């Protein structure tokens, strides 16, 4: 089926290529230019076709990997992102601030940022957190699917009523060093606690709207509004079971029988809902490509973003609104913590750390 396409640059909040490269490719960076066929959602030709101008590459570790092994696996994936950028310098450019991201985009390269997907990956050490930041990580998701020693996950037993005292210290340290607090995967109580603690805008890198589908990974309108009111951005994801009740119920029932279809229109419904709750400045996109096996029809891989933009344009979105959704909102949120990051890393800042 052919879909109408509308070209808008995208700075996506979440792509799991580093982990998929670990499990499927032994961390090889070869062949991503399309010179050899791959089953991945993500490669350079698909990124170009999709208008991807910037990407937060997720460095994720399964919760079953703990302690020093989790730290090692995180570092290996950070290394993969660095090697990928070095292997294809005409395509990727590592960026650590909104300004360097904009410069990369203007030069025709894909601004590549790093996000750590799971607070358990710091192994309860603020020093490890700081080292991730020094290596270029600009956000950290406070939990993955398991409740950690200091934060409750949306998809596990709540043990802390949100964040522990150390969890609040983590959020405060992230603010100090310029790492964005990512509220994807966390419980509502954890989100509230983090929003109460954070002095900088937060983001939700890849979740959808609970009002349309009460999946535990989707946030209620109240949290979406709090993120936006704090200057943050809520980035809608395309995971099919997050988008429709029918697909979620099919998954929960063991994926037996016909698979309920999920389409680009379902993703657009969530984007529009978040815009209606958060305002046009509070919505973004975080596809979760290469982080799940299946994607909505029309959004099969990273080449599909123009299909979503065409659907939204058909519904009356202006080009200016689509540009905010695609890139401008997330770049604004990154910029709000850039001075903190530059001051921490010693790269220079317009004001001193802590000011």
């Amino acid at each position: 089926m052919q879909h109408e396409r509308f070209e808008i640059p995208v700075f996506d909040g979440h792509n799991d290529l580093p982990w998929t490269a670990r499990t499927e490719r032994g961390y090889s960076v070869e062949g991503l230019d399309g010179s050899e066929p791959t089953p991945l959602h993500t490669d350079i030709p698909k990124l170009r076709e999709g208008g991807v101008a910037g990407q937060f590459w997720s460095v994720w570790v399964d919760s079953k990997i703990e302690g020093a092994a989790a730290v090692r696996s995180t570092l290996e994936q950070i290394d993969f992102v660095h090697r990928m950028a070095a292997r294809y310098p005409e395509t990727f450019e590592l960026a650590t601030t909104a300004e360097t991201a904009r410069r990369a985009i203007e030069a025709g390269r894909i601004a590549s940022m790093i996000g750590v997907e799971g607070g358990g990956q710091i192994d309860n050490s603020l020093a490890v957190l700081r080292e991730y930041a020094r290596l270029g990580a600009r956000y950290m998701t406070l939990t993955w699917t398991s409740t950690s020693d200091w934060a409750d996950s949306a998809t596990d037993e709540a043990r802390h009523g949100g964040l522990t005292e150390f969890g609040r210290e983590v959020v405060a340290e992230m603010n100090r060093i310029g790492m964005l607090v990512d509220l994807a995967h966390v419980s509502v109580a954890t989100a509230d606690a983090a929003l109460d603690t954070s002095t900088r805008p937060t983001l939700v890198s890849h979740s959808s709207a609970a009002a349309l589908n009460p999946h535990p990974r989707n946030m209620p309108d109240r949290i979406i509004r709090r993120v936006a009111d704090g200057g943050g951005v809520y980035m809608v994801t395309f995971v099919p079971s997050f988008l429709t009740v029918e697909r979620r119920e099919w998954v929960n029932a063991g994926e037996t029988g016909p698979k309920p279809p999920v389409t680009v229109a379902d993703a657009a419904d969530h984007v529009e809902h978040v815009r209606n709750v958060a305002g046009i400045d509070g919505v973004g996109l975080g596809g979760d490509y290469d982080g799940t096996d299946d994607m909505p029809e029309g959004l099969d891989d990273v080449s599909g973003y123009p299909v979503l933009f065409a659907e939204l344009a058909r519904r009356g979105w202006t080009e200016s609104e689509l540009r905010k959704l695609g890139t401008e909102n997330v770049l604004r949120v990154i910029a709000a913590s850039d001075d903190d990051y530059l001051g921490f890393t010693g790269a220079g800042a317009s004001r001193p750390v802590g000011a």
Side-chain angles (χ1 to χ4, degrees):
M1 177 180 177
Q2 284 292 106
H3 290 276
E4 184 182 354
R5 298 171 68 83
F6 191 99
E7 301 291 337
I8 292 285
V10 180
F11 196 125
D12 179 89
H14 196 88
N15 183 301
D16 277 301
L17 178 62
W19 180 266
T20 301
R22 168 195 174 106
T23 58
E24 303 298 324
R25 299 167 56 81
Y27 284 130
S28 172
V29 298
E30 297 303 317
L32 294 176
D33 56 359
S35 59
E36 54 188 69
T38 75
L40 304 174
H41 291 151
T42 310
D43 59 30
I44 291 170
K46 291 169 187 169
L47 288 164
R48 292 303 197 187
E49 187 180 352
V52 177
Q55 181 66 64
F56 269 110
W57 300 106
S58 169
V59 295
W60 166 75
V61 176
D62 193 302
S63 296
K64 295 191 289 288
I65 302 173
E66 298 179 324
V71 176
R72 171 181 168 170
S73 297
T74 305
L75 293 175
E76 288 173 347
Q77 287 173 80
I78 291 173
D79 174 72
F80 170 82
V81 177
H82 282 253
R83 288 188 300 108
M84 182 175 70
R87 175 64 180 80
Y88 305 101
E90 71 290 345
T91 300
F92 301 110
E93 184 172 332
L94 291 172
T96 55
T97 66
E99 181 182 354
T100 56
R102 287 187 188 279
R103 284 207 304 263
I105 293 166
E106 287 167 8
R109 291 186 283 274
I110 297 169
S112 294
M113 288 190 164
I114 295 169
V116 178
E117 190 185 10
Q121 291 169 231
I122 67 170
D123 194 20
N124 296 326
S125 169
L126 294 180
V128 172
L129 172 73
R130 290 187 287 267
E131 286 305 306
Y132 291 160
R134 290 184 179 105
L135 292 170
R138 281 302 309 270
Y139 78 59
M140 184 173 75
T141 318
L142 297 185
T143 71
W144 185 56
T145 59
S146 298
T147 290
S148 72
D149 290 339
W150 49 270
D152 289 333
S153 170
T155 49
D156 195 7
E157 179 185 359
R159 303 203 310 263
H160 311 301
L163 289 174
T164 67
E165 188 57 38
F166 177 71
R168 292 176 184 271
E169 288 180 32
V170 171
V171 170
E173 185 68 350
M174 291 175 70
N175 287 166
R176 187 185 75 82
I177 67 177
M179 278 186 81
L180 301 173
V181 175
D182 178 17
L183 302 178
H185 280 288
V186 306
S187 71
V188 171
T190 300
D192 273 322
L195 290 162
D196 289 344
T197 304
S198 182
T199 59
R200 296 289 185 267
T202 62
L203 82 164
V204 179
S205 67
H206 61 304
S207 296
S208 295
L212 299 186
N213 178 20
H215 192 290
R217 277 281 283 105
N218 294 341
M219 287 291 186
D221 288 354
R222 182 178 65 79
I223 297 296
I224 296 173
R225 195 171 294 114
R226 283 200 72 185
V227 169
D229 287 348
V233 61
Y234 194 97
M235 309 183 84
V236 174
T237 196
F238 306 154
V239 179
S241 60
F242 296 4
L243 295 181
T244 72
V245 172
E246 294 77 13
R247 180 64 77 89
R248 172 174 57 84
E249 291 176 342
W250 177 78
V251 169
N252 289 345
E255 303 186 0
T256 56
K259 179 164 60 177
V262 179
T263 69
V264 65
D266 296 312
D269 289 346
H270 282 262
V271 172
E272 292 213 287
H273 182 87
V274 172
R275 182 194 64 174
N276 292 339
V277 173
I280 188 57
D281 294 327
V283 60
L285 299 173
D288 203 14
Y289 284 107
D290 283 304
T292 188
D293 292 337
D294 208 7
M295 281 293 182
E297 190 269 324
L299 295 171
D300 307 85
D301 56 45
V302 296
S303 69
Y305 297 99
V307 176
L308 175 62
F309 290 129
E311 173 67 17
L312 293 169
R314 187 186 65 76
R315 297 182 185 200
W317 285 54
T318 66
E319 183 174 345
S320 173
E321 290 172 331
L322 292 173
R323 286 183 178 276
K324 286 190 172 189
L325 169 71
T327 59
E328 292 303 317
N329 291 341
V330 67
L331 284 168
R332 184 198 73 246
V333 173
I334 294 165
S337 291
D338 277 353
D339 277 354
D340 302 299
Y341 182 78
L342 291 170
F344 166 67
T345 59
S350 60
R351 57 182 172 78
V353 176

